[in-house]
Amino acid sequence: MCGIVGAVAQRNITPLLVEGLKRLEYRGYDSCGVALHVNGQLKRSRSTSRVAELETQLDAAKLSGFTGIAHTRWATHGAPVSHNAHPHFSPSDTNARIALVHNGIIENHEELRDELSALGYIFDSQTDTEVIAHLIDHMYTGDLFDTVQQAVKRLNGAFAIAVFCRDEPHRVIGARQGSPLIVGVGRGENFLASDAMALAGTTDQIMYLEEGDVVDLQLQRCWIVDVDGKAAQREVKTVHVHTGAAELGPYRHYMQKEIFEQPRAIGDTLEGVTGIMPELFGDKAHDIFKQIDSVLILACGTSSYAGMTAKYWIESVAKIPVSVEIASEYRYRDSVPHPKTLVIAISQSGETADTLAALKHARNQGMLHTLTICNVATSAMVRECELSYITRAGVEVGVASTKAFTTQLAALFLLTLTLAQVKDHLSAVQEAAHLKAMRHLPVAITAVLALEPQIIAWSEEFSRKENALFLGRGMHYPIALEGALKLKEISYIHAEAYPAGELKHGPLALVTNEMPVVTIAPNDALIEKLKSNMQEVRARGGQLYVFADADSHIKSSEGVHVIRLPEHYGLLSPILHVVSLQLLAYHSALARGTDVDKPRNLAKSVTVE
């Protein structure tokens, strides 16, 4: 989603701002811009192309300055055109006093726009962001820090902003409410960003602003007030961001690189796990796990499919009932809270707006036992929850999640075993067997990756299709959903997933010779029923593309194309099968020539509702 970088320094910060934007490109964007304080005036450059084009514009204009802000925008209010790109100025481009960038959504922007228009302000964009810039200009009293504190009280919604003023050089003000914003602390210089990644190589001293905070950045100090306007201290943490993780290396796309990083990512996620113990999830975990008698999983998109898979695991192994809720829906319906529920929030970034809001809603309903499965140890979700397990997928640049998903599954399976142990449903022999299987996962995934040439051959056929059907049964149904999502995200082929047993209840009407049907066929208790479902497809002329285990006795024949995974992996089989589906989606998109890492209309981290 949108990205913010800001700085006050005694050196030219233009290269720093541009580099920060480049580091945030993985989040997805459709325009970008930089604003600088230049010889007593505000200057800006904006582009609806990539950051590299913006950099060329800045070089051509020879724009440099000591105070400035920068932004990558993913369009919400207003199309992705130049006049809607950030930064926004007020009152006008030629006489600008206020420059501002904004992540989030202002819900009362129409009301404020009408008010400010009546006062004579001219709006050059369709964005809600320009409303904030004009509001701050209208309320400006000569002290930007005080003005911003008053202005944000009039804003409804979720936002992070960075703003500076023509009349106050070497000063940038930031504010956050429901959208992440951090402070980077330097020597004689200070920085703002929406993500620590943006400041990699500039500073590793990071402060995380809390809800309602407003920060005053100057050369020699950072002054923070909380939501009540009282002085607040925020701990400075040393955060090491490994920039090398974002280098492409020999791969054609980041998605391909990240698919092939999964053996390492899962190995890292499980590193140090020598036995099943509640303390892996936090010091209070044992007592909390003893108390709970149900689980509520909150997540969006790919993370919700990880939660759906975990439901099968937890109910089967730990014997605890599980509900999985789409976070964006959960807080808007009447639900029945239960205080002995463990609420699990799953998110790659830990900043997903809908999941954070659903988590807070669950807590407000009296469900206080919370745990997050997350890839970012310093994220808002980790700070909000009692317990956490940090996956160690590393930086994931491709918008379509791959290694973040499989590491979530690995963490959730570990949680399953831990809950089973605490509830006395896991013997020592079972624990040893499961741990052995988990340690073997990196090797098993490597064997699946070796199937890439066979999957490439399939992708040539898939690339000519416009529709596809994915089938799975039991705990592989969520994996079918994830496979369909991956294909439509990056190849733009319409794909849907169903439990295979539902074929005759409607989807079978779609099956023709032009409809490829991808089938996940592990050699489990449902294999014979799945074979019957496959016959239903063949009887209607459908083309089956089957990912089968080595011992599932499914043979290739006319209309039945089979790729055999090296081994059946029991409860952990979903982790292996999804890797093959990731490769199918990637190579189908490659054959169609789409922008694999930055699919249209999508963003990496969804930090607005």
Side-chain angles (χ1 to χ4, degrees), residues 485-499:
L485 177 63
K486 284 291 153 285
L487 188 67
K488 60 185 144 189
E489 277 182 317
I490 61 170
S491 74
Y492 314 145
I493 296 170
H494 174 250
E496 297 296 335
Y498 286 89

Side-chain angles (χ1 to χ4, degrees), residues 63-137:
L63 283 182
S64 64
F66 304 128
T67 302
I69 53 179
H71 193 263
T72 52
R73 175 181 185 252
W74 189 77
T76 52
H77 295 77
V81 293
S82 181
H83 63 267
N84 286 331
H86 299 207
H88 285 285
F89 281 179
S90 183
S92 67
D93 197 18
T94 57
N95 189 36
R97 178 166 64 176
I98 300 296
L100 180 139
V101 295
H102 158 233
N103 290 354
I105 291 177
I106 305 303
E107 295 174 354
N108 61 332
H109 70 98
E110 291 180 345
E111 170 192 331
L112 292 170
R113 180 182 285 260
D114 290 344
E115 178 184 325
L116 291 161
S117 295
L119 292 169
Y121 282 93
I122 304 299
F123 285 83
D124 297 321
S125 76
Q126 289 79 49
T127 68
D128 53 345
T129 301
E130 191 179 7
V131 169
I132 314 173
H134 288 328
L135 178 66
I136 291 173
D137 181 77

Side-chain angles (χ1 to χ4, degrees), residues 122-163:
I122 304 299
F123 285 83
D124 297 321
S125 76
Q126 289 79 49
T127 68
D128 53 345
T129 301
E130 191 179 7
V131 169
I132 314 173
H134 288 328
L135 178 66
I136 291 173
D137 181 77
H138 170 61
M139 298 179 68
Y140 186 63
T141 57
D143 187 307
L144 187 62
F145 186 48
D146 289 342
T147 302
V148 171
Q149 289 179 67
Q150 297 308 311
V152 295
K153 293 177 182 178
R154 299 212 51 202
L155 304 179
N156 297 334
F159 57 84
I161 62 172
V163 55

Side-chain angles (χ1 to χ4, degrees), residues 248-313:
L248 191 55
Y251 298 96
R252 294 185 66 176
H253 295 91
Y254 285 106
M255 183 178 179
Q256 184 187 29
K257 173 178 183 280
E258 288 152 11
I259 289 171
F260 277 83
E261 285 178 337
Q262 288 175 112
R264 188 275 307 159
I266 286 183
D268 288 351
T269 295
L270 300 175
E271 185 179 1
V273 178
T274 57
I276 303 302
M277 56 190 75
E279 290 72 24
L280 292 167
F281 298 87
D283 293 340
K284 301 177 182 177
H286 185 272
D287 290 341
I288 291 172
F289 293 168
K290 272 288 189 184
Q291 294 176 46
I292 62 104
D293 59 16
S294 62
V295 170
L296 169 64
I297 296 176
L298 303 172
C300 298
T302 287
S303 294
S304 72
Y305 300 147
M308 290 174 66
T309 308
K311 173 183 172 70
Y312 284 94
W313 287 338

Side-chain angles (χ1 to χ4, degrees), residues 428-594:
V429 172
Q430 290 170 325
E431 177 182 338
H434 287 309
L435 283 172
K436 181 179 178 182
M438 293 186 79
R439 293 190 190 104
H440 184 62
L441 271 174
V443 175
I445 292 172
T446 301
V448 176
L449 293 170
L451 299 172
E452 187 178 32
Q454 298 177 56
I455 295 172
I456 291 173
W458 280 11
S459 70
E460 293 300 320
E461 181 67 23
F462 264 77
S463 67
R464 294 189 287 270
K465 304 299 183 181
E466 293 302 325
N467 300 281
L469 198 61
F470 285 68
L471 302 178
R473 297 204 71 149
M475 63 185 176
H476 292 85
Y477 166 52
I479 301 307
L481 287 165
E482 172 62 9
L485 177 63
K486 284 291 153 285
L487 188 67
K488 60 185 144 189
E489 277 182 317
I490 61 170
S491 74
Y492 314 145
I493 296 170
H494 174 250
E496 297 296 335
Y498 286 89
E502 285 293 293
L503 265 176
K504 62 177 71 69
H505 296 286
L508 203 56
L510 296 171
V511 172
T512 69
N513 189 54
E514 289 300 307
M515 171 73 82
V517 180
V518 180
T519 307
I520 305 167
N523 190 19
D524 59 16
L526 292 171
I527 187 63
E528 294 304 323
K529 292 187 180 297
L530 183 65
K531 289 178 181 178
S532 297
N533 302 139
M534 291 166 56
Q535 289 302 317
E536 293 171 345
V537 172
R538 283 302 300 135
R540 276 77 180 178
Q543 294 289 313
L544 284 162
Y545 292 82
V546 185
F547 288 103
D549 289 345
D551 52 359
S552 59
H553 305 294
I554 298 174
K555 297 179 180 180
S556 296
S557 60
E558 183 181 355
V560 182
H561 314 274
V562 180
I563 291 178
R564 298 191 185 284
L565 273 63
E567 56 186 311
H568 175 54
Y569 221 61
L571 286 172
L572 291 170
S573 172
I575 297 177
L576 300 192
H577 276 275
V578 79
V579 174
S580 62
L581 300 180
Q582 293 168 353
L583 286 169
L584 179 62
Y586 171 72
H587 285 290
S588 298
L590 197 63
R592 287 169 72 96
T594 63

